[in-house]
Amino acid sequence: MTSISKKFGLLVPIISVIIGLLAGALIMLLSGHNPIEGYAALWAGAFGDSYTIGETVRRSTPLILTGLAVAFAFKTGLFNIGAEGQVIVGWLAAIWIGLAIDAPMIIHLPLAILAGAIAGGLWGFLPGLLKAKLGVHEVIITIMMNYIALHITNAIIRNVLTDQGTTTEPIAGTASLASEWLQTITFYSRVHYGILIALFAAFVMWFIIERTTYGYELKSVGFNRHASNYAGMNVSKNIILSMVIGGGFAGLAGAMEGLGTYGTISVMSGFTNLGFDGIAVALLGANNAFGVILAGILFGVLKEGAGEMPTAAGVPTELVDIIIALIIFFVASSYIIRWALSRFKKEGK
């Protein structure tokens, strides 16, 4: 039974992606566009040359981290919809350290990265505390925390990091994740060493969940909090730690954008959407660390490749958002796919 469940867990995301792409092709046909040209343009936009490959990797990096942030909380039965706010405060903290401290790279860069992770973790602490101690639903708190993060960050940029400006000065080179070597081999794309940090973070999540006592307790709390409490586990502690660690992953995503992609932070007119995309990445990756890596890369490919579709095939970039929505719809409706696979298997006997 476990083997069948694992097979379904692997097949459902794959089938969901295929159905989403087929539905996207149908939408292109109905709207008068050539789906072959559309997807060829998407492929070229993501993998057409060294530059686009570099940009695809760069775009995938924060998506993997926000996917981990949401997936980690899901393991405790929590819905961390606050990854967006955690990204923003992580970005701010990393840039602040990148600007305020004068130190060698061996000290400055790790400190800036750590600042981003800590800021994100602290932003996840309050929702975790309120959930654990008062039973306040984490979705409500994290949604509000997203807006608080956005407006506080904008105020700090205007009044502390700049003199009523909208963009900070570039961070010191000693706090930068930019790689001259990687940029040279990718025709000066914005790819940076952050992808290595994202992959290491995925390994850390896997190790915690699968190889530690805390990971066992985390999964147990996710399955049944009352039984876990009866077994002597500290449910409140696990809820708080889950939100803090998840927030740390999201804060790292913000640090990757600040220290790697942009080197600055600007006043934001709205959300980055990295945190919200992380929800989709976690769902498609089945809350599994390795699955999140693959889902993050897929979303990076779709989002980067979409930029080529209007010019090369006349297909609006919004179609990619529709495809992503359809993929997530079918993942969320996985019981339908599971039922179809079960029927197919029975009929094949």
Side-chain angles (χ1 to χ4, degrees):
M1 189 71 181
T2 304
S3 176
I4 294 174
S5 179
K6 286 183 177 178
K7 286 180 181 177
F8 281 167
L10 179 64
L11 284 173
V12 167
I14 294 173
I15 293 173
S16 298
V17 170
I18 293 172
I19 294 175
L21 292 173
L22 290 174
L26 180 61
I27 293 170
M28 279 189 252
L29 277 174
L30 293 175
S31 58
H33 299 100
N34 187 324
I36 297 176
E37 291 181 0
Y39 283 132
L42 188 148
W43 180 266
F47 300 110
D49 53 36
S50 296
Y51 176 82
T52 56
I53 292 173
E55 283 296 302
T56 298
V57 172
R58 188 273 308 172
R59 192 181 284 269
S60 300
T61 298
L63 292 173
I64 292 171
L65 287 164
T66 54
L68 294 174
V70 177
F72 199 91
F74 268 141
K75 289 294 185 181
T76 321
L78 300 171
F79 192 6
N80 182 17
I81 205 170
E84 179 66 29
Q86 293 150 15
V87 167
I88 293 172
V89 297
W91 189 338
L92 174 69
I95 291 294
W96 202 332
I97 295 297
L99 291 171
I101 291 179
D102 182 16
M105 178 175 279
I106 195 171
I107 296 173
H108 200 183
L109 180 56
L111 195 61
I113 294 171
L114 187 62
I118 291 174
L122 289 175
W123 214 252
F125 171 76
L126 182 58
L129 180 67
L130 292 174
K131 174 71 174 183
K133 300 301 183 182
L134 300 177
V136 180
H137 204 292
E138 72 277 5
V139 170
I140 304 299
I141 298 298
T142 50
I143 287 175
M144 292 191 295
M145 294 287 283
N146 286 337
Y147 287 95
I148 294 170
L150 175 66
H151 295 298
I152 286 179
T153 296
N154 283 344
I156 291 174
I157 293 170
R158 288 193 181 99
N159 301 304
V160 179
L161 298 184
T162 67
D163 185 15
Q164 292 300 314
T166 58
T167 303
T168 64
E169 294 292 324
I171 57 172
T174 52
S176 176
L177 282 166
S179 165
E180 186 177 344
W181 172 70
L182 288 175
Q183 290 174 351
T184 300
I185 65 174
T186 57
F187 290 103
Y188 299 97
S189 72
R190 292 173 292 175
V191 66
H192 51 80
Y193 287 124
I195 185 63
L196 300 179
I197 295 173
L199 295 177
F200 179 71
F203 171 78
V204 169
M205 174 177 164
W206 170 84
F207 184 81
I208 291 174
I209 297 296
E210 302 297 338
R211 293 292 184 269
T212 66
T213 303
Y214 169 62
Y216 175 81
E217 291 189 5
L218 187 73
K219 290 185 286 186
S220 177
V221 171
F223 284 127
N224 192 318
R225 292 177 190 172
H226 300 293
S228 299
N229 187 58
Y230 182 76
M233 298 178 190
N234 191 329
V235 174
S236 295
K237 182 192 78 172
N238 282 299
I239 289 174
I240 295 170
L241 278 176
S242 177
M243 290 297 292
V244 168
I245 294 173
F249 286 137
L252 276 177
M256 298 304 99
E257 292 293 89
L259 305 178
T261 302
Y262 298 102
T264 62
I265 187 170
S266 301
V267 171
M268 303 176 191
S269 58
F271 293 126
T272 68
N273 287 328
L274 288 171
F276 300 125
D277 288 337
I279 298 171
V281 170
L283 287 172
L284 183 59
N287 301 321
N288 174 278
F290 181 67
V292 166
I293 292 174
L294 296 180
I297 293 171
L298 173 64
F299 276 52
V301 168
L302 291 173
K303 288 182 172 293
E304 186 61 33
E308 188 70 17
M309 294 174 74
T311 54
V315 179
T317 57
E318 288 78 9
L319 179 71
V320 168
D321 293 326
I322 295 173
I323 292 171
I324 290 173
L326 288 169
I327 290 171
I328 299 310
F329 171 79
F330 288 114
V331 170
S333 304
S334 60
Y335 67 93
I336 299 174
I337 298 175
R338 290 173 187 270
W339 174 82
L341 289 173
S342 300
R343 289 295 299 268
F344 180 77
K345 187 171 175 137
K346 286 179 183 177
E347 290 175 3
K349 287 183 179 180

